[in-house]
């Protein structure tokens, strides 16, 4: 009996050690290789590079607004998979509405050097915001942040550090720990996680208008988690539940309801409501 218990304990320890050492492979899913050429996906967009504070150069696409002059803009913080090309339809829709858009890939994504981590993605987002705010065709007082899923946690942290004119969170979660417990109930996630993304704790420090969009049938980040994150934020805020939508459905990528809700929300802020609102 003792030998059996020791064997089981050793196997459990080995399994937990393996999960701990490989956990970021379970969190971040970059597609191999570089993203396609910007012009082949988003006509009129520009290939640009962003330099982070820790010396990493990131590839990005800038989509200028169709109107001249200094105007509103959006920086898009991607989810945990793919590359910026997947967000091209959303960028195109926002551009048609008169917004400049910056799509960028995190370290380790889209052919970028480095390895993703919570602090690394935060540094990448700061580099993206700084680059966009310095553009001559962008009014830095009229920048919104958009974050999807894991990127919602990245955008929220950025909004606390560098408040935007508005914040849009699509399928946000309270913390990565809560998501991990949901999908891996047999693991001591709270003890193992290195990257925790404690968004609900950070939401209390938000000082900007917030839009939260959730999918009714989201199986990766259930709407209940998004609602709890919304409840943790102060007013002004708005919660939208997209009927029947799962996490990666087109309705939550660039669907008409999603884009419409984003634009209506931004019209009530300084982003599209004018620089003096």
């Amino acid at each position: 009996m003792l030998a059996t218990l020791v064997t089981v304990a050793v196997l459990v320890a080995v399994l937990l050690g393996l999960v701990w050492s490989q956990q970021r492979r379970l969190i971040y899913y970059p597609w191999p290789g570089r993203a396609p050429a910007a012009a082949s996906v988003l006509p009129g967009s520009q290939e640009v590079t962003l330099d982070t504070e820790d010396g990493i150069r990131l590839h990005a696409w800038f989509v200028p607004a169709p109107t001249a002059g200094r105007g509103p803009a959006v920086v898009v913080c991607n989810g945990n998979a793919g590359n910026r090309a997947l967000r091209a339809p959303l960028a195109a829709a926002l551009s048609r509405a008169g917004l400049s858009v910056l799509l960028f890939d995190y370290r380790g994504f889209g052919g970028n050097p480095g390895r993703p981590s919570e602090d690394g993605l935060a540094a990448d987002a700061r580099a993206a915001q700084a680059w966009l705010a310095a553009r001559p065709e962008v009014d830095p007082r009229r920048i919104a942040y958009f974050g999807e899923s894991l990127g919602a946690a990245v955008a929220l942290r950025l909004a606390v550090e560098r408040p935007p004119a508005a914040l849009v969170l699509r399928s946000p979660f309270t913390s990565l720990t809560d998501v991990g417990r949901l999908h891996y109930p047999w693991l001591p996630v709270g003890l193992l996680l290195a990257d925790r993304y404690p968004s609900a704790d950070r939401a209390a420090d938000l000082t900007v208008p917030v839009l939260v969009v959730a999918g009714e049938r989201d199986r990766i980040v259930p709407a209940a988690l998004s609602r709890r994150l919304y409840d943790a934020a102060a007013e002004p805020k708005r919660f939208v539940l997209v009927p029947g939508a799962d996490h990666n459905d087109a309705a939550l990528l660039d669907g008409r309801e999603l884009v419409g809700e984003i634009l209506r929300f931004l019209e009530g802020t300084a982003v599209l409501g004018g620089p003096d609102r």
Side-chain angles (χ1 to χ4, degrees):
M1 178 67 73
L2 180 59
T4 300
L5 290 176
V6 170
T7 300
V8 170
V10 170
L11 290 175
V12 169
V14 170
L15 175 61
L16 293 179
L18 181 64
V19 171
W20 183 86
S21 66
Q22 299 298 314
Q23 61 180 279
R24 286 183 171 136
R25 294 179 181 269
L26 301 174
I27 297 172
Y28 307 103
Y29 296 94
W31 284 6
R34 299 188 59 163
S40 68
V41 181
L42 279 170
S45 61
Q46 305 169 9
E47 300 270 3
V48 301
T49 56
L50 319 173
D51 293 313
T52 69
E53 60 209 31
D54 55 346
I56 291 180
R57 176 155 289 188
L58 307 174
H59 298 288
W61 295 344
F62 178 60
V63 189
T67 55
R70 286 161 61 89
V74 178
V75 58
V76 175
C77 295
N78 302 339
N80 70 327
N83 58 41
R84 59 194 180 276
L86 296 181
R87 287 79 189 181
L90 174 64
L94 296 176
S95 176
R96 288 192 295 270
L99 293 146
S100 294
V101 183
L102 179 64
L103 299 180
F104 72 100
D105 277 316
Y106 307 120
R107 60 191 64 201
F109 287 74
N112 290 331
R115 295 182 179 180
S117 67
E118 181 176 355
D119 288 340
L121 268 59
D124 299 343
R126 288 192 291 269
Q129 184 275 340
W131 186 93
L132 188 61
R135 292 292 297 187
E137 59 269 74
V138 171
D139 184 344
R141 299 170 299 171
R142 300 172 67 189
I143 294 178
Y145 303 161
F146 173 93
E148 63 169 51
S149 193
L150 184 82
V154 177
L156 192 154
R157 177 174 174 175
L158 180 64
V160 171
E161 296 175 353
R162 300 179 181 180
L167 176 64
V168 179
L169 305 175
R170 197 276 275 179
S171 303
F173 48 72
T174 47
S175 70
L176 194 59
T177 305
D178 289 340
V179 177
R181 286 170 177 157
L182 177 69
H183 293 286
Y184 304 100
W186 47 275
L187 282 175
V189 173
L191 296 175
L192 293 175
L193 270 183
D195 295 343
R196 296 174 178 267
Y197 294 95
S199 293
D201 293 340
R202 289 172 175 154
D205 296 324
L206 288 173
T207 58
V208 301
V210 181
L211 171 65
V212 172
V213 181
E216 182 185 29
R217 297 184 180 178
D218 196 321
R219 291 173 292 181
I220 296 178
V221 180
L225 285 186
S226 296
R227 182 75 199 203
R228 283 171 52 194
L229 186 280
Y230 168 84
D231 290 341
E235 297 284 353
K237 58 184 179 180
R238 175 170 169 73
F239 183 85
V240 174
L241 187 66
V242 179
D246 199 356
H247 195 78
N248 292 317
D249 287 352
L252 290 179
L253 296 177
D254 64 324
R256 180 177 299 179
E257 182 174 0
L258 171 71
V259 174
E261 289 288 353
I262 292 172
L263 295 179
R264 281 189 290 274
F265 169 68
L266 295 182
E267 285 169 359
T269 71
V271 178
L272 289 179
D276 299 322
R277 289 193 59 165

